[in-house]
């Protein structure tokens, strides 16, 4: 029973540690011809996002034109599938992800019940070129209802879709009942849930902006294609409780924020995830806990078969853990071959 509890604790901790990095890596997509790349760090300057618990800054131009041609160079079927996702969002909303330089995504965490945490109030602020009339026409064809609202001199168009949507064709698919769209200026488009879009309009006017600290966390790596940062809800950390390891539970309970980046390297990709603990002592304990549990991760990986086993073992072997101040940094290096294998077997 103890082995099962410790093993379960390691798995839960692994999900927490690598979840954001995996989500970031999963967003990569391909598209049209490249223009001058815009760093992910600049995405925070698109427009102030509204108050959010999580932010992701995406260098869309590099994501589409540099990353995915490498990732899917030998997988025509998957390349067609991800292009289909981008085209589907364009057909549904009239918004073509390929026409944007950068996108900032914001979201909040809500707790419908004490043991449930949901991602809500999702909004994207995109900078680039777009045709507002074409967007409105496309959404009206899909929407069963449409209405307009005026706020701070902007017109917010709200459409009832009630279907699964991948924002910009690159996020995980999520249920969207009402989709709101507004143009902040000729080159800045806001799309998302109505309440979040209203909050974004107010944020553009200086009211209720996202925490500069949270945006700063997502902008740590100026060369990143994707940067992310989030405040970790206590309800998520509680999921590690009950595994019979008080040390693991205390270590995980000390985590307050997570941030990191996905960047290209000459041979593959660099995934950096940082866990920010409450105190420096908590960070040291957290790093020691992760290091101590790493052999169990290797044991778990060894139970997989074929390429999955080799990929997991190489990832764990490349994992570097470093505690500095209140931060615990976890660095993973994936070769191009690793990425190709990951897309094939998972």
């Amino acid at each position: 029973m103890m082995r099962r509890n410790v093993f379960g604790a390691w798995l839960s901790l692994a999900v927490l540690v690598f979840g954001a990095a995996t989500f970031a890596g999963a967003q990569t997509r391909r598209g049209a011809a490249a223009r001058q790349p815009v760093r992910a760090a600049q995405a925070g300057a698109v427009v102030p996002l509204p108050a959010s618990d999580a932010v992701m800054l995406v260098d869309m131009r590099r994501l589409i034109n540099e990353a995915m041609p490498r990732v899917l160079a030998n997988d025509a079927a998957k390349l067609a599938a991800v292009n289909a996702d981008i085209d589907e969002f364009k057909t549904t909303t009239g918004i073509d992800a390929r026409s944007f330089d950068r996108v900032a995504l914001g979201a909040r965490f809500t707790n419908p019940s004490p043991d449930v945490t949901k991602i809500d109030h999702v909004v994207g602020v995109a900078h680039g070129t777009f045709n507002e009339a074409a967007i409105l026409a496309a959404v009206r064809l899909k929407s069963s209802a449409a209405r307009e609202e005026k706020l701070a001199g902007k017109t917010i168009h709200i459409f009832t879709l009630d279907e699964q949507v991948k924002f910009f064709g690159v996020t995980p698919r999520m249920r969207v009942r009402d989709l709101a769209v507004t143009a902040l200026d000729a080159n800045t488009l806001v799309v998302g849930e109505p309440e979040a879009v209203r909050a974004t309009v107010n944020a553009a006017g200086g009211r209720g902006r996202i925490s500069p600290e949270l945006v700063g966390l997502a902008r740590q790596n100026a060369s990143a294609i994707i940067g992310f940062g989030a405040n970790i809800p206590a309800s998520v950390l509680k999921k590690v409780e009950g595994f019979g390891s008080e040390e693991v539970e205390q270590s995980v309970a000390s985590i307050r924020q997570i941030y990191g980046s996905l960047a290209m390297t000459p041979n593959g990709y660099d995934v950096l995830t940082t866990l920010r603990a409450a105190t420096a002592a908590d960070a040291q304990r957290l790093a020691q806990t992760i290091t101590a549990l790493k052999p169990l991760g290797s044991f778990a990986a060894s139970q997989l078969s074929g390429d999955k086993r080799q990929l997991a073992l190489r990832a764990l072997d490349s994992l570097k853990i470093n505690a500095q101040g209140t931060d615990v940094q976890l660095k993973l290096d994936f070769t191009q071959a690793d990425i190709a294998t990951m897309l094939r077997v998972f």
Side-chain angles (χ1 to χ4, degrees), residues 3-342:
R3 171 177 288 185
R4 182 178 300 172
N5 286 341
V6 174
F7 179 64
W10 188 91
L11 288 178
S12 294
L13 185 59
V15 168
L16 179 62
V17 169
F18 300 119
T22 301
F23 173 74
Q27 308 315 304
T28 321
R29 294 294 185 266
R30 180 184 184 272
R35 290 194 286 179
Q36 182 66 27
V38 179
R39 298 303 186 195
Q42 294 175 317
V46 173
V47 70
L49 283 165
S52 302
D53 298 311
V55 60
M56 180 176 287
L57 309 178
V58 183
D59 188 330
M60 189 68 74
R61 196 61 65 180
R62 292 184 66 212
L63 184 68
I64 287 176
N65 298 319
E66 295 180 37
M68 281 318 292
R70 287 175 59 180
V71 170
L72 296 178
N74 298 316
D75 195 335
K78 198 169 291 289
L79 177 60
V82 295
N83 274 308
D85 288 337
I86 294 175
D87 291 337
E88 179 186 358
F89 188 73
K90 181 181 178 181
T91 299
T92 300
T93 66
I95 300 169
D96 187 357
R98 303 178 184 93
S99 67
F100 293 101
D101 299 312
R102 54 194 186 269
V103 174
L105 296 166
R108 288 170 57 186
F109 298 121
T110 59
N111 295 102
S113 65
D115 296 326
V116 176
T117 301
K118 291 179 60 178
I119 297 176
D120 209 343
H121 299 81
V122 179
V123 65
V125 180
H127 184 273
T129 59
F130 58 89
N131 184 322
E132 187 174 6
I135 291 172
L136 299 181
V139 181
R140 286 193 179 100
L141 287 176
K142 296 282 293 186
S143 175
S144 60
R147 64 185 188 276
E148 293 183 357
E149 295 181 0
K150 298 290 185 179
L151 179 64
K154 308 297 180 185
T155 300
I156 301 174
H157 306 273
I158 302 175
F159 307 91
T160 299
L161 293 180
D162 197 21
E163 63 181 73
Q164 297 283 338
V165 172
K166 287 188 174 184
F167 280 93
F168 299 96
V170 301
T171 69
R173 197 173 293 276
M174 59 189 76
R175 171 66 61 178
V176 174
R177 173 171 174 76
D178 292 324
L179 182 73
V181 179
T182 191
L184 292 181
D185 57 48
N187 297 107
T188 307
L189 185 72
V190 183
V191 56
E193 299 175 14
E195 184 177 349
V197 170
R198 296 184 194 103
T200 303
V201 172
N202 286 328
R207 301 180 300 280
R209 291 183 179 179
I210 189 172
S211 162
E213 179 200 5
L214 191 58
V215 174
L217 293 180
R219 299 174 67 180
Q220 290 284 316
N221 186 351
S223 65
I225 293 176
I226 296 173
F228 59 91
N231 298 317
I232 302 298
S235 56
V236 171
L237 302 179
K238 287 182 179 179
K239 294 182 183 299
V240 183
E241 293 179 356
F243 284 107
S245 174
E246 183 177 354
E247 182 178 358
V248 171
E249 293 178 8
Q250 290 177 349
S251 295
V252 173
S254 71
I255 299 172
R256 296 295 180 266
Q257 294 174 313
I258 184 171
Y259 64 95
S261 61
L262 172 72
M264 293 177 65
T265 67
N267 298 317
Y269 295 87
D270 173 80
V271 178
L272 188 64
T273 302
T274 300
L275 305 175
R276 177 158 289 176
T279 67
D282 288 330
Q284 288 292 333
R285 181 174 59 188
L286 180 61
Q288 292 167 3
T289 300
I290 296 172
T291 301
L293 291 174
K294 189 175 176 181
L296 286 178
S298 297
F299 172 77
S302 69
Q303 306 306 301
L304 300 174
S305 60
D307 289 337
K308 288 184 179 181
R309 179 178 64 249
Q310 296 303 318
L311 180 62
L313 289 172
R314 283 198 298 272
L316 283 165
D317 186 59
S318 77
L319 175 62
K320 296 178 177 62
I321 304 165
N322 179 49
Q324 184 173 5
T326 58
D327 287 350
V328 178
Q329 187 182 85
L330 301 109
K331 186 175 183 295
L332 281 168
D333 295 313
F334 290 103
T335 67
Q336 182 61 35
D338 289 335
I339 296 296
T341 301
M342 188 182 304

